[in-house]
Amino acid sequence: MRMLFKELMIVFIFMSVSISANADEGMWLYNDTPYQLLKDRYGFEPTSAWLEHVQKSSVRFNSGGSGSFVSENGLIISNHHVGADALQKFSDAEHNYYRDGFYARSQKEEKRCLDLELNVLMSIEDVTDRVNAAVNPDTNPEEAFVARRAAMAEIEKGSLEKTGLRSDVVTLYQGGRYHLYRFKKYTDVRLVFSPEQHIAFFGGDPDNFEYPRFDLDICLFRAYENGKPAKVEHYLKFSSKGVSEGDLVFVSGHPGNTSRQLTMAEFEYLRDQYFPYVLQRLNSLEVMLLAYSARSDENARRARDTLFGVQNSRKARDGMFAGLMDSQLMTQKQTAEQALRTAVAQNPNAKEVLPSWERIADAQQVIARNAQHYNLLEGAHAFNSTLFGIARTVLRAVEEKAKPNGERLREFRDSNLESLELQLFSEEPIYDDFEQVKLADSLTWLVKQLGYSHPLVQKVLVDRSPRQCAAELVLGTKLKDVAVRRKLYAGTVADVEATNDLMIELARLVDPEARSVRKIIETQDEIKRQAHAKIAQARFAFEKTSSYPDATFTLRLAFGTVTGYEENGQAIPFQTTLAGLYKRAAAHHYEPPFDLPRRWIDRKNKLNLNTPFNFVSTADIIGGNSGSPVVNRQGEFVGIIFDGNLQSLVLDFAYTDFQARAVSVNSQAIIEALRKVYGAAELVDEIVGRKRS
Amino acid sequence: MRMLFKELMIVFIFMSVSISANADEGMWLYNDTPYQLLKDRYGFEPTSAWLEHVQKSSVRFNSGGSGSFVSENGLIISNHHVGADALQKFSDAEHNYYRDGFYARSQKEEKRCLDLELNVLMSIEDVTDRVNAAVNPDTNPEEAFVARRAAMAEIEKGSLEKTGLRSDVVTLYQGGRYHLYRFKKYTDVRLVFSPEQHIAFFGGDPDNFEYPRFDLDICLFRAYENGKPAKVEHYLKFSSKGVSEGDLVFVSGHPGNTSRQLTMAEFEYLRDQYFPYVLQRLNSLEVMLLAYSARSDENARRARDTLFGVQNSRKARDGMFAGLMDSQLMTQKQTAEQALRTAVAQNPNAKEVLPSWERIADAQQVIARNAQHYNLLEGAHAFNSTLFGIARTVLRAVEEKAKPNGERLREFRDSNLESLELQLFSEEPIYDDFEQVKLADSLTWLVKQLGYSHPLVQKVLVDRSPRQCAAELVLGTKLKDVAVRRKLYAGTVADVEATNDLMIELARLVDPEARSVRKIIETQDEIKRQAHAKIAQARFAFEKTSSYPDATFTLRLAFGTVTGYEENGQAIPFQTTLAGLYKRAAAHHYEPPFDLPRRWIDRKNKLNLNTPFNFVSTADIIGGNSGSPVVNRQGEFVGIIFDGNLQSLVLDFAYTDFQARAVSVNSQAIIEALRKVYGAAELVDEIVGRKRS
């Protein structure tokens, strides 16, 4: 379940530059596909129509994952764990859709998601020159960052006004390129079908990131426009044949973030500071959430999606951290960096590149010194509360909206306000008790990090214990009421100041320090961006191969072979079957997390147990690819990505196809289960393209 | 379940001095009982026969708890969670006694514990003068510590040789007094009865440290001598009447450790360094153990007792840490300390006491700087493995035993060797996979604490990842074989050096640094001991009231009133009933941890549901008191301590009877359950004193 991106955004996103590609490596840009590589390696030459079709069939879930259209009537398939955010938000004490599943037998029953936004990439335009033209290379980094941000905001605003499409300037190759991505946006998205969590996530945390697997990790939505199912030109034809060993397959999705082109200084920071911190925080959150969940079924339901996210992140990061303690991997990185530095040093034309590594190392040291405060304040690790997030957004919105578009914090740029408002005015349920527990725990985290006597701690707690403080804050805010949010958001700075809302007061109390540390980090990021751009250009020049940028949660095309691997001397077959599911459940006495939903037990006899269930391939994927369609040469949907194995966790830092594999659900299993376990004949008909009778 | 002491020993034990007693405060020494207080407050005057009887009926479980004799045939009652260590050790994949319970229907079936040692306090002798005579007050602290340790070891050795009794010199009032405790020792201890964990720990982690409660947290053992049940003169008569509201009750047990008389410098250290560290470590351990346990039933069984201990410690420490963030509590401490310092400053005779606070603060700073290394190395937080513990003990034993008794590390003093060998040569099962998981996790912990590049980390890992390193170590040792341990232990330093045992090599690799940091801490403790002794004497002089020393896992007598309390405006009754158990289970749909063992459901109709189940009192208890008998004025057994409520967690730092309560099982519920749920008629007959037919 590593593929979910939102849980990966806990601290910083590190950006990086391209590398030359080997084997099935690569998260390729749609406007820079590796034609030659595919031709040489697989004898496959995608046409531009093929590429456009797959691109426009691909869907980004802004809650943190991927998906694809699978019918002309706007039907979208993604993972259960990508849909989890939506499932959680419209469940209540009586309806636990996340755990128990859902099926709308008619369009009328399809259930609208509260704040889900989907994006479909319609076009890409290179705006590198326009962005760079705004930045005077001799100016200081602080001003350079501000100028660059302003240029991006203006390009986005202009594009939105001109095309009506969501428009984002995307930084690629760590500043080597800036592309303007235009998206068709869907905000009326309705749930059509979800299986039970027990079959979507069969094996739970123990089986997460492992293989062989037996998970029906799917979820079906429908995009609506003007109150009617969206008619889409591009959607993937569902293959009833699935995959065979050795097949070439493509993955079209949104890998969230990779760190392959970091410098050694950045890798060491990750190993020595970032991962120890973030794992410590995740462990603390997991224990808090488990303790809260154990108190009652209803608590467990309220915390379910959050707990899943934390456990998923923890297991992923454990694996990544292990990768950074692998001396072979680090030696490779070190050797490659040294080789490039030597080459640069020996080339008189590359002189100005040479100081880049030192500049990054210096910037990284400044970041390292400020990371704790950044995480606690700007990352709100000290204030883990939905209401605090709302309070800060309201507080900053009225301040930022009063400024010119280009001078605002980036999330408040004009072109982003609609998406921001969708989140801010969400009717997502907020539970006082859960808010208090999370907030008290995170205030305690603040004390643990800085020490009780730290002025910031004293300023926040004012002689109250974290528990008392959290209770007063949650009971002293009216922000649970969406109408209150709307009113304040539409008002002025003075209006917001005039409210006595305690949560807004807290946000205001820490905002100067939060903004100030954010500015430090953003400035250092600009220094790194400029230095990385130079290193990237040197690498292009020396290595002269086609390349792809590190992942940035934008649409990418990966490819690979369907194939098993060897582990501890044992051959791991490329696919599992439905029979294997029942075998594994029985081996664990059907006890959680190896229990099966009732209907899977009752309808076992109806199933063809030889149906292929999950399979692996060498495609290059990472968190964010969850829900990505797996397509064959014909552009047909043959499966859906939902995980990578443990050995794939190092893909954050370097590609390998030795044992690392992407894990998918086979399209055949989806049809078999929908038809025979869920009796969803109409849905199957729609997916396989039969007209309804 | 707070009462288990062993989980409280994770880092340092802080020693402290006496304070004046209020209300039902006090963990009183048996040779310094508060006659006047009891007489004034309760009109009760215990005779010396009464005291001797209760004292010699009390049993210390060296695995970390308390208990008492309840029949002339050596029958002992304690808590299920105190017995857990023994239950875990003789369970295997086929017999999960810890989870499923056990009942020996005849003495033949009673099951011998692998390494359980019980102690009964037979006499107390004040040896303060002898210990202090050995220490020249003008010598430096390092030499003072060595001299004091030698004097204690010699007194103990002499006493053991003379009496044959286990002899420990106990430091009380932080060096204000040294008492020689002589114990009758039982090492042939057999399990007689244990209920299922689900009823012993009904409500699990959510209900732990909470009230009202519904737990049958008992376990019955029998002490044997020469292969026959021990005949004991002193045992507690079991009351079939239990308790009534307002009753005066006594608790005779072994509170492990309190910190009430620490100075502010020490409290601040606890708040700012100790608790943040230890909670972080406990969170990390809990996540590791839960992930391991979730993989299979057998994993869960192997990790069960360890996991319980970690969760229990975590919940206790969360509460303690919250206490230290209570500004009222800290202000009280500050005010009291300031008052005493002022009084001392104004008294010309107390001049030499004045620098004591500064000395403690200075020593505490040295400890703070060395605590991380101490915990990682000497505390073995970096090497969380049973096999590592064995390796270190073997390595050190051959070195230490070659030295004169008084010069050895304290655990290797002659008088302690028998107890040490009982542990070292235990046939406790050791599982390779669990050892590897724990060791890999703790090596990762080492990296997180010191950073990957730290010389110590590099020395241990030698370019291996923590997982590889752990695997090689566990597979490269023969210490699982008790015969190997025995042979090495009996050999010489050269013999041990000659083995190529990888785990011993690791222990040897880190031993110089471990010993060196231990010496630093022991020396600072000696400085603190001398300073605390002076402060204590000043306090005696100024406050002139009877007093008790902080808890040190030695036998103490506490007393209190059976009474409920008020919480959030609600009256919490002093006792619960069996009816309440079924009600609470039903409210949670009998789902774990609120599920009931089969026989409790089947035999519900046989039970008198009005039987009192658990009750609370104001007695002053802390971790280590688990399993302590609760006795009435007549010296009868009316219940057994098993927990304190959340509000009692601050008792580590200060006594309060506002809401803090000790939680016990009523003797009536024990009889009712044994008779009607478990059909243990013979056992009941033995307990209530009827002769067997």
Side-chain angles (χ1 to χ4, degrees), chain A residues 517-618:
Chain A
V517 71
R518 173 169 170 167
K519 194 177 194 174
I520 293 170
I521 300 295
E522 284 175 341
T523 302
Q524 299 307 313
D525 278 346
E526 173 67 23
I527 294 173
K528 285 171 55 174
R529 192 177 296 134
Q530 293 181 10
H532 268 298
K534 285 188 181 144
I535 293 174
Q537 268 139 29
R539 187 175 288 119
F540 291 145
F542 290 119
E543 299 177 352
K544 290 189 208 314
T545 52
S546 68
S547 70
Y548 64 93
D550 257 302
T552 52
F553 201 43
T554 49
L555 188 65
R556 303 296 177 89
L557 186 68
F559 61 88
T561 305
V562 174
T563 182
Y565 55 103
E566 217 183 272
E567 191 175 355
N568 302 328
Q570 276 203 311
I572 311 289
F574 78 100
Q575 74 181 4
T576 62
T577 62
L578 289 178
L581 166 72
Y582 289 98
K583 227 171 123 182
R584 185 152 177 81
H588 286 272
H589 318 293
Y590 301 91
E591 277 176 18
F594 301 97
D595 50 334
L596 291 172
R598 189 75 244 164
R599 53 161 70 86
W600 278 81
I601 294 168
D602 293 345
R603 297 175 191 174
K604 179 180 174 189
N605 292 335
K606 296 189 174 182
L607 286 168
N608 174 359
L609 294 178
N610 294 323
T611 308
F613 197 178
N614 293 170
F615 68 90
V616 286
S617 69
T618 59

Side-chain angles (χ1 to χ4, degrees), chain B residues 122-143:
Chain B
M122 303 308 284
S123 72
I124 304 176
E125 185 185 332
D126 192 328
V127 292
T128 309
D129 293 345
R130 282 175 69 192
V131 171
N132 283 340
V135 180
N136 179 341
D138 300 327
T139 178
N140 70 49
E142 196 178 318
E143 284 167 24

Side-chain angles (χ1 to χ4, degrees), chain B residues 267-539:
Chain B
F267 272 111
E268 283 163 8
Y269 167 76
L270 288 179
R271 186 189 61 193
D272 296 337
Q273 185 168 329
Y274 170 83
F275 278 103
Y277 171 79
V278 85
L279 282 168
Q280 177 187 337
R281 178 169 143 78
L282 288 168
N283 286 339
S284 166
L285 288 171
E286 184 166 348
V287 169
M288 178 269 289
L289 292 166
L290 285 169
Y292 174 78
S293 299
R295 291 187 168 272
S296 72
D297 281 2
E298 173 59 8
N299 278 14
R301 188 193 66 73
R302 291 177 183 183
R304 208 171 184 93
D305 183 37
T306 311
L307 176 58
F308 163 76
V310 166
Q311 292 185 319
N312 190 49
S313 289
R314 178 256 305 155
K315 200 162 177 183
R317 281 183 169 68
D318 272 344
M320 294 177 194
F321 187 43
L324 290 174
M325 289 187 288
D326 177 336
S327 56
Q328 205 186 335
L329 186 144
M330 289 299 258
T331 306
Q332 274 169 13
K333 290 275 169 202
Q334 175 71 63
T335 307
E337 177 168 313
Q338 200 44 58
L340 186 58
R341 287 176 82 156
T342 305
V344 163
Q346 288 165 355
N347 188 319
N349 296 330
K351 229 181 201 169
E352 62 154 18
V353 177
L354 208 51
S356 299
W357 283 275
E358 279 310 313
R359 274 186 202 140
I360 291 171
D362 291 347
Q364 196 58 52
Q365 281 196 13
V366 179
I367 291 174
R369 281 197 301 276
N370 288 280
Q372 186 184 50
H373 267 67
Y374 181 89
N375 290 331
L376 289 171
L377 295 174
E378 185 64 14
H381 291 190
F383 316 109
N384 180 17
S385 145
T386 307
L387 290 166
F388 177 82
I390 291 167
R392 169 183 281 177
T393 303
V394 166
L395 175 77
R396 287 184 174 177
V398 292
E399 291 171 7
E400 294 296 307
K401 285 193 297 170
K403 299 176 189 170
N405 182 34
E407 291 174 22
R408 301 177 194 161
L409 295 176
R410 184 147 166 77
E411 62 272 28
F412 294 100
R413 66 195 188 277
D414 277 329
S415 64
N416 193 53
L417 287 181
E418 223 177 88
S419 297
L420 184 135
E421 288 160 15
L422 182 69
Q423 300 303 316
L424 181 61
F425 303 142
S426 167
E427 294 283 355
E428 165 189 11
I430 295 171
Y431 304 100
D432 281 356
D433 70 319
F434 193 30
E435 285 287 294
Q436 285 186 34
V437 166
K438 287 188 298 177
L439 190 51
D441 182 71
S442 55
L443 290 169
T444 303
W445 180 255
L446 174 68
V447 176
K448 288 178 188 167
Q449 291 295 308
L450 298 183
Y452 186 80
S453 314
H454 192 283
L456 179 66
V457 175
Q458 290 301 313
K459 201 164 78 170
V460 170
L461 293 182
V462 203
D463 281 342
R464 298 167 296 184
S465 73
R467 222 171 291 170
Q468 286 173 317
C469 183
E472 289 178 22
L473 286 164
V474 172
L475 299 174
T477 179
K478 296 200 163 51
L479 292 172
K480 257 200 329 191
D481 183 346
V482 175
V484 171
R485 294 178 218 164
R486 283 189 188 276
K487 207 180 145 198
L488 288 170
Y489 180 81
T492 65
V493 172
D495 294 337
V496 174
E497 260 174 25
T499 65
N500 289 319
D501 194 283
L502 293 187
M503 202 63 87
I504 294 180
E505 290 307 308
L506 173 63
R508 191 199 315 285
L509 184 74
V510 299
D511 214 41
E513 216 164 323
R515 282 175 177 265
S516 136
V517 71
R518 173 171 170 165
K519 194 177 196 174
I520 293 169
I521 300 294
E522 285 176 341
T523 303
Q524 299 307 312
D525 279 347
E526 173 66 25
I527 294 172
K528 284 171 54 173
R529 192 177 295 133
Q530 293 181 9
H532 267 298
K534 285 189 180 142
I535 294 175
Q537 268 139 31
R539 187 176 287 117

Side-chain angles (χ1 to χ4, degrees), chain A residues 205-208 210 268 271-272 275-276 279-280 282-288 290-291 294-297 314-315 318-319 321-322 324-328 443-444 447-449 451-453 461 463-467 584 588-589 591-594 646, chain B residues 205-208 210 268 271-272 275-276 279-280 282-288 290-291 294-297 314-315 318-319 321-322 324-328 443-444 447-449 451-453 461 463-467 584 588-589 591-594 646:
Chain A
D205 184 64
D207 274 9
N208 200 4
E210 315 252 342
E268 283 163 8
R271 187 189 61 195
D272 297 336
F275 277 102
L279 282 168
Q280 178 188 335
L282 287 168
N283 286 339
S284 165
L285 287 172
E286 185 167 348
V287 169
M288 178 268 290
L290 285 168
R295 291 187 168 269
S296 73
D297 282 1
R314 178 258 303 157
K315 199 161 175 183
D318 273 343
F321 188 42
L324 290 175
M325 290 187 289
D326 176 337
S327 57
Q328 204 185 337
L443 290 169
T444 303
V447 176
K448 287 178 187 166
Q449 291 295 307
Y452 186 80
S453 315
L461 292 181
D463 282 341
R464 298 167 296 184
S465 73
R467 222 171 292 170
R584 185 152 177 81
H588 286 272
H589 318 293
E591 277 176 18
F594 301 97
L646 280 179
Chain B
D205 183 64
D207 274 8
N208 199 4
E210 315 251 342
E268 283 163 8
R271 186 189 61 193
D272 296 337
F275 278 103
L279 282 168
Q280 177 187 337
L282 288 168
N283 286 339
S284 166
L285 288 171
E286 184 166 348
V287 169
M288 178 269 289
L290 285 169
R295 291 187 168 272
S296 72
D297 281 2
R314 178 256 305 155
K315 200 162 177 183
D318 272 344
F321 187 43
L324 290 174
M325 289 187 288
D326 177 336
S327 56
Q328 205 186 335
L443 290 169
T444 303
V447 176
K448 288 178 188 167
Q449 291 295 308
Y452 186 80
S453 314
L461 293 182
D463 281 342
R464 298 167 296 184
S465 73
R467 222 171 291 170
R584 185 152 177 80
H588 286 271
H589 318 293
E591 276 175 20
F594 301 97
L646 280 178

